Amino acid sequence: MAFPKPQYLFLALLILFFLSKLSFAKQSRINGLKLNVIDRCWRKNPEWKRHQYQLATCSIGYAGKMINNIGNDLIHYKVTDSSDDPINPKPNTLRYGTSIIQGKVWITFQRDMQIKLEKPLLISSFTTIDGRGVNVHIANNACLMIFKATNIIIHGIRVHHCKPQAPGIVMGPEGKVIPLGQVDGDAIRLVTASKIWIDHNTLYDCQDGLLDVTRGSTDVTISNNWFKNQDKVMLLGHDDGYVRDKNMKVTVVYNHFGPNCNQRMPRIRHGYAHVANNFYQGWLQYAIGGSMEPSLKSEANLFVAPTIGNKEVTWRKSSDKSGGTWNFHSIRDIFENEASFNITKGGDVKKPNYTKEQNFKVLDAKFVKYLTSSSGVLRYNKNYVY
Ligand SMILES: *[C@@H]1O[C@H](CO)[C@@H](O)[C@H](O)[C@H]1NC(C)=O
Ligand SMILES: *[C@@H]1O[C@H](CO)[C@@H](O)[C@H](O)[C@H]1NC(C)=O
């Protein structure tokens, strides 16, 4: 048997090598090596639509895995009617799905929809709102509220132009009509809520804030969202006197803030926030602020200061009666455009102490732009590939 001459063998190996390199590059695009750990968990799967509940296993941070939202007893509910009746919701509307249907419910939308809510939408425990594959806008009046509820996923919807609401009665969780006081114009408001995952939403232009985590809410993960065009962006902690918020724990990861955000990204009172791998595209007054002895670990974010105006990331309420024991720490953050971060001197950087299922690797801040490059609602083509 004749062996090929060594030079031919070498050539063949060389060609083989380049071919494999090529196919590797192609493969990595397909496998989405450029996806962050949440997205990699489900977007890599071209059949994700058929395995849509898999999303619940993809969360990280203080919300933990949302496995209580799936299982054999899960009800799949499809919204086909964009109308809203706050007291007697009609079947097939969003409000019917979030209040009347009991137990675990996974809500999707039949088609693109503009939903104008007549009153705030109260979401029951064990509910998932999944806007993937269609364009759902909740806009131009009342918006979303999670009140004394737990195990909720909000994914892939646009919430904007939210307006304050006068007191009134609405269909609440567990199918009970409840009186609701005056509500500010927030996009999403959490009141005494826990284990909540807010992922890949686009929130903007509301009369009050975009996201409020208040009144003893905890175990919240806010990931992959796009916050833009807003004065007050995110409030963690209700008011200076509300000491129950001491136990609040929130993870803020892979979000894009800006352009045109003024302040509160977030503003925190009492509790603890782990703010990691977010992209800050400028601010006006400040990006991160607080009062009442909050702790915040800012880790590997990209802060791009505005061209003109305040370059300082942080703000501390000067009239704070607690004597000014903030704990604002910055590690591995990247500062561009002369951004600065006034860290708290002395004191330890509190670790998030995540459990195994909450834990994730915070990547180097130089990767933040691509980690957040698909923040907000994802764009789809007809084949659900993007
Ligand atoms: C930094 O924060 C401290 C309070 O912790 C404050 O006294 C000081 O003025 C701040 N410095 C800057 C440059 O903002
Ligand atoms: C994590 O544990 C350490 C040690 O017990 C503690 O000092 C720290 O406050 C904990 N972090 C949080 C966010 O509670």
Side-chain angles (χ1 to χ4, degrees):
M1 179 177 171
F3 284 95
K5 286 199 176 117
Q7 56 264 53
Y8 290 134
L9 193 68
F10 178 73
L11 203 71
L13 278 174
L14 208 70
I15 290 166
L16 214 74
F17 175 74
F18 278 110
L19 277 176
S20 72
K21 270 284 244 230
L22 250 171
S23 74
F24 177 75
K26 213 165 146 198
Q27 200 66 28
S28 38
R29 263 201 310 277
I30 293 160
N31 284 354
L33 288 183
K34 292 205 162 202
L35 299 176
N36 64 50
V37 67
I38 298 174
D39 287 357
R40 199 157 63 219
C41 167
W42 66 272
R43 285 174 66 186
K44 251 174 45 177
N45 183 351
E47 298 286 306
W48 67 263
K49 189 86 179 133
R50 281 207 286 137
H51 304 108
Q52 57 188 334
Y53 307 143
Q54 197 193 344
L55 179 68
T57 66
C58 298
S59 47
I60 56 171
Y62 284 119
K65 302 287 178 227
M66 305 301 288
I67 46 168
N68 300 334
N69 289 59
I70 50 178
N72 290 335
D73 47 349
L74 178 62
I75 299 164
H76 184 194
Y77 177 88
K78 193 173 270 185
V79 179
T80 59
D81 179 344
S82 64
S83 74
D84 183 42
D85 181 335
I87 301 164
N88 291 304
K90 276 193 283 178
N92 308 314
T93 61
L94 176 58
R95 196 181 296 272
Y96 192 92
T98 60
S99 60
I100 306 288
I101 307 271
Q102 304 294 304
K104 293 178 189 178
V105 55
W106 194 283
I107 301 177
T108 58
F109 300 82
Q110 183 196 39
R111 56 187 160 82
D112 291 356
M113 262 181 216
Q114 300 268 350
I115 297 178
K116 187 179 172 195
L117 296 169
E118 298 299 325
K119 284 276 167 200
L121 184 83
L122 290 168
I123 304 170
S124 302
S125 296
F126 306 102
T127 297
T128 300
I129 300 180
D130 178 2
R132 285 177 295 174
V134 287
N135 294 300
V136 177
H137 293 254
I138 293 177
N140 300 313
N141 197 37
C143 288
L144 308 183
M145 188 164 176
I146 301 176
F147 177 64
K148 292 189 178 162
T150 175
N151 292 280
I152 291 171
I153 305 173
I154 301 177
H155 182 105
I157 55 171
R158 294 176 177 86
V159 189
H160 54 98
H161 296 93
C162 303
K163 297 176 187 158
Q165 301 296 313
I169 55 168
V170 307
M171 181 57 76
E174 324 308 332
K176 290 193 206 83
V177 171
I178 60 163
L180 205 60
Q182 159 84 28
V183 172
D184 300 334
D186 296 304
I188 303 176
R189 175 153 209 206
L190 274 53
V191 184
T192 322
S194 63
K195 202 166 170 69
I196 309 292
W197 184 30
I198 302 188
D199 187 52
H200 271 300
N201 303 286
T202 302
L203 311 178
Y204 55 98
D205 281 319
C206 289
Q207 280 198 14
D208 191 44
L210 294 181
L211 184 53
D212 279 13
V213 177
T214 71
R215 294 214 159 252
S217 295
T218 189
D219 298 342
V220 177
T221 297
I222 299 162
S223 56
N224 288 316
N225 301 287
W226 186 12
F227 301 91
K228 58 181 179 178
N229 300 345
Q230 186 69 27
D231 175 12
K232 303 166 182 170
V233 177
M234 189 191 300
L235 186 65
L236 308 180
H238 178 249
D239 60 42
D240 284 355
Y242 203 80
V243 288
R244 263 182 70 198
D245 282 334
K246 269 193 177 23
N247 299 322
M248 174 179 61
K249 289 189 166 73
V250 181
T251 304
V252 179
V253 63
Y254 311 137
N255 299 284
H256 177 182
F257 296 99
N260 305 319
C261 288
N262 179 25
Q263 56 171 321
R264 304 189 177 178
M265 297 171 249
R267 182 204 196 293
I268 178 168
R269 292 179 171 101
H270 300 292
Y272 176 83
H274 183 213
V275 177
N277 282 160
N278 298 282
F279 174 34
Y280 288 82
Q281 193 183 0
W283 51 85
L284 213 59
Q285 282 176 271
Y286 65 88
I288 292 171
S291 57
M292 302 311 290
E293 311 189 22
S295 303
L296 183 138
K297 180 179 179 185
S298 172
E299 184 172 12
N301 298 286
L302 171 60
F303 292 100
V304 182
T307 315
I308 39 166
N310 186 20
K311 305 280 188 190
E312 170 61 29
V313 169
T314 67
W315 168 82
R316 287 134 164 105
K317 190 177 168 191
S318 56
S319 62
D320 194 330
K321 290 187 198 74
S322 68
T325 46
W326 304 268
N327 253 306
F328 287 169
H329 289 281
S330 164
I331 45 175
R332 299 161 63 209
D333 286 325
I334 289 184
F335 301 100
E336 287 182 4
N337 244 353
E338 297 156 60
S340 64
F341 192 115
N342 184 1
I343 58 161
T344 307
K345 308 254 165 19
D348 293 332
V349 189
K350 267 198 195 176
K351 289 202 178 78
N353 301 337
Y354 289 132
T355 63
K356 204 171 156 225
E357 63 155 20
Q358 296 170 333
N359 202 26
F360 60 97
K361 191 171 188 300
V362 178
L363 295 185
D364 196 288
K366 70 178 184 230
F367 300 120
V368 159
K369 272 202 176 144
Y370 90 67
L371 291 170
T372 61
S373 61
S374 57
S375 64
V377 173
L378 295 160
R379 291 171 190 281
Y380 302 84
N381 65 27
K382 274 201 214 72
N383 303 317
Y384 301 111
V385 181
Y386 42 89

